[in-house]
Amino acid sequence: MRLLRRHERDRRAEKTRRGEAWDDTAQTRRGGSSVAPDYLTYRFHGLVLRSGLPPVRLHDLRYGAVTMALAAHVDLPVVQDQVGHASIVLTADTYTSVLPELHHRAARATARLVLSAARGTARRVRRGRCGWMTQV
């Protein structure tokens, strides 16, 4: 992050010296010209090949990041904002199905809650403190 911030600061200063406005969304080369999205995909593909890792598309990193955020219990509205979806439904429909572990974790948490409540009710019944039992 430090290197990225330094790079951005240097690019901003370079643009300012040339009297140009800074565009937060533009991806530029050192000379200031725009980087074509296809070029980034091409470069990424080359890096993946050289790394010896299994084939992965650049866009797959987005899915991976969102999936990891959800697995780390990041709130869905936060994830929605990070990926820029207009609707939280789109985010939920697209990503929550890929993590069965989240569904298992939710089921276990619900089961713990139900069992805890059942144990509390059973204790009250055994002690005779349950209203319906004392009225019979």
Side-chain angles (χ1 to χ4, degrees):
M1 287 303 297
R2 229 180 4 249
L3 289 173
L4 288 173
R5 286 189 186 108
R6 184 182 318 150
H7 175 74
E8 180 182 345
R9 187 182 62 238
D10 293 347
R11 297 294 75 79
R12 280 179 188 262
E14 187 178 309
K15 286 247 185 196
T16 302
R17 278 193 300 276
R18 291 194 312 241
E20 298 174 14
W22 176 257
D23 180 3
D24 282 332
T25 62
Q27 302 297 319
T28 59
R29 298 174 187 252
R30 283 199 184 273
S33 62
S34 295
V35 176
D38 290 345
Y39 173 75
L40 294 175
T41 301
Y42 169 78
R43 287 282 295 152
F44 181 77
H45 180 69
L47 292 170
V48 170
L49 285 176
R50 285 198 316 228
S51 72
L53 294 171
V56 63
R57 298 172 306 144
L58 181 58
H59 192 73
D60 292 337
L61 298 181
R62 175 183 170 98
Y63 287 109
V66 171
T67 301
M68 287 189 286
L70 291 171
H73 306 289
V74 174
D75 290 334
L76 200 54
V78 173
V79 174
Q80 173 206 355
D81 186 55
Q82 289 176 336
V83 295
H85 288 161
S87 163
I88 198 165
V89 174
L90 174 63
T91 308
D93 286 349
T94 305
Y95 293 104
T96 56
S97 64
V98 297
L99 282 176
E101 176 55 32
L102 292 179
H103 296 287
H104 294 289
R105 191 178 301 147
R108 285 191 300 269
T110 303
R112 278 194 304 274
L113 182 66
V114 169
L115 291 173
S116 175
R119 282 191 290 273
T121 301
R123 279 192 293 273
R124 285 193 303 277
V125 168
R126 280 193 302 272
R127 294 179 187 148
R129 293 187 182 157
C130 195
W132 61 270
M133 289 292 286
T134 58
Q135 295 173 1
V136 177

